[in-house]
Amino acid sequence: MRHVISSYDFSREEFHKLFELSDEILGGKLKPNVNGKVVSLAFFEPSTRTATSFATASWRIGAKVIGFTSVEGTSVEKGENFADTIRMLENYSECIVVRHKFDGAAKFASEVSEKPIVNAGDGKHEHPTQSMIDLYTVYKVFGQVDGLNFALFGDLKYARTVNSLLRALTRFKPKKVFLISPQQLRARREIVQELNYEVIERDNPYDVISDVDVLYVTRIQKERFPDEMEYEKIKESYVVDLKLVEHMKKDSIILHPLPRVNEIDRRVDKTPQAKYFYQASLGVPIRMALLYTILTG
Ligand code: ASP
């Protein structure tokens, strides 16, 4: 199997295949077993959900897990370079899941490794397996991804999950895609321009919220701001609160890749629209389906 670097690496059929495999796993119809193949975790940047769900997914398909979720204690601290680290893991495992703060790190890893690389987030570039979870959640709730109104809300400039989701949506037929953010956090032009659908950009969520089926919220990506002062100016500039949710359709949903900081008021968690913890729970079956597909060719 090839590497998974971008949402563009998946066709519409492949997304659907993954959703179906994941459904079979959740329903107990498929019990994947890769007989002790080894998955490496190479996390050069912090992670909670992605690292732990990849580990759980690996164990549940009968794989063994090696690697690190923090560079502390590895030879990276002695100055070993990224390429050499990847080359070592390539010798010890059948697949390498990489997270790094630099855009393009996963692509670079795929150039030095014969073994499949899975991008678990590279800087502000992409996080394709998050989009698989996002769209699988939509598919579980609505029975399909096509024909819905999406609104991506928050930091659309630095959030890699936004880039991956916008690209993944090119494989489907969204009805409308709204991009809601403060001016300073608008989606990057080069991403918007390459899409095969129109986007509608707004500052104020109230302009469109009653039309939205899927509200996808992101936190402000503090660690990606080149200038801390810029972050200070913009932090807490938007929030999803009960007042906003009241304007949403009864059967609409709120997603968030998590972690949440304070862009979703905790009281929203109890509303029927809040699906972000359910979404996080789907990280395990979808990653089981993905790793199983990769490891069994
Ligand atoms: N966990 C996601 C990521 O790694 C979202 C976030 O950190 O805001 O990109």
Side-chain angles (χ1 to χ4, degrees):
M1 162 98 183
R2 40 159 210 215
H3 310 286
V4 179
I5 308 300
S6 161
S7 289
Y8 283 151
D9 294 333
F10 271 66
S11 66
R12 178 186 175 89
E13 291 66 38
E14 287 167 323
F15 273 110
H16 275 290
K17 180 87 203 136
L18 214 56
F19 300 164
E20 282 153 24
L21 266 183
S22 188
D23 275 351
E24 285 179 21
I25 289 168
L26 281 175
K29 230 172 97 191
L30 174 70
K31 300 209 184 313
N33 189 353
V34 300
N35 298 312
K37 285 191 174 156
V38 180
V39 172
S40 283
L41 299 185
F43 278 63
F44 296 81
E45 198 190 46
S47 171
T48 304
R49 268 153 299 275
T50 307
T52 53
S53 67
F54 262 113
T56 305
S58 303
W59 291 322
R60 289 201 181 150
I61 61 165
K64 304 247 186 300
V65 181
I66 62 164
F68 51 90
T69 51
S70 148
V71 293
E72 218 172 285
T74 72
S75 287
V76 174
E77 290 203 316
K78 300 181 193 165
E80 182 160 59
N81 68 42
F82 179 67
D84 288 357
T85 306
I86 296 297
R87 280 189 195 105
M88 289 310 107
L89 296 175
E90 185 198 2
N91 293 327
Y92 307 151
S93 57
E94 277 71 48
C95 168
I96 310 172
V97 182
V98 181
R99 168 169 290 195
H100 203 284
K101 69 177 178 189
F102 289 142
D103 296 26
K107 176 92 180 65
F108 179 54
S110 75
E111 283 157 14
V112 297
S113 166
E114 290 291 320
K115 303 279 173 61
I117 298 290
V118 178
N119 182 4
D122 61 329
K124 57 186 178 346
H125 175 232
E126 278 221 41
H127 191 351
T129 68
Q130 180 64 50
S131 305
M132 293 168 188
I133 302 168
D134 303 339
L135 292 182
Y136 184 48
T137 313
V138 172
Y139 171 84
K140 294 293 271 180
V141 174
F142 293 97
Q144 57 173 5
V145 175
D146 294 338
L148 298 169
N149 291 340
F150 287 79
L152 281 61
F153 183 28
D155 182 349
L156 309 183
K157 183 174 181 182
Y158 296 115
R160 55 196 175 196
T161 58
V162 165
N163 297 338
S164 284
L165 183 56
L166 288 172
R167 288 173 166 169
L169 282 173
T170 65
R171 294 347 194 194
F172 297 89
K173 297 185 187 71
K175 197 162 148 208
K176 289 184 198 158
V177 179
F178 301 108
L179 300 181
I180 315 168
S181 70
Q183 288 287 342
Q184 301 92 312
L185 298 178
R186 284 265 192 267
R188 298 218 298 279
R189 290 307 92 183
E190 65 272 25
I191 307 277
V192 169
Q193 280 157 9
E194 73 189 22
L195 304 172
N196 62 359
Y197 52 84
E198 295 289 321
V199 298
I200 303 160
E201 300 191 277
R202 291 283 180 275
D203 303 341
N204 186 348
Y206 286 93
D207 290 350
V208 300
I209 197 69
S210 61
D211 219 9
V212 169
D213 298 302
V214 179
L215 180 67
Y216 190 84
V217 188
T218 62
R219 75 180 165 95
I220 299 196
Q221 309 281 302
K222 180 179 181 194
E223 69 278 29
R224 315 248 180 257
F225 275 68
D227 177 354
E228 171 120 26
M229 281 307 291
E230 285 306 308
Y231 167 74
E232 287 300 322
K233 274 192 236 155
I234 197 92
K235 71 173 191 197
E236 293 169 20
S237 55
Y238 59 90
V239 68
V240 175
D241 54 15
L242 289 175
K243 189 170 150 246
L244 187 71
V245 178
E246 266 170 35
H247 288 76
M248 294 182 72
K249 293 188 208 176
K250 289 282 160 286
D251 60 352
S252 61
I253 62 171
I254 305 170
L255 302 183
H256 190 308
L258 303 177
R260 172 229 338 241
V261 184
N262 44 26
E263 61 285 348
I264 300 182
D265 184 326
R266 275 159 183 70
R267 282 169 295 185
V268 170
D269 298 359
K270 293 202 181 70
T271 66
Q273 282 91 347
K275 291 283 185 285
Y276 27 94
F277 293 117
Y278 171 61
Q279 174 192 7
S281 77
L282 296 178
V284 172
I286 208 85
R287 288 181 169 131
M288 288 171 73
L290 177 70
L291 289 173
Y292 179 63
T293 307
I294 293 173
L295 294 171
T296 57

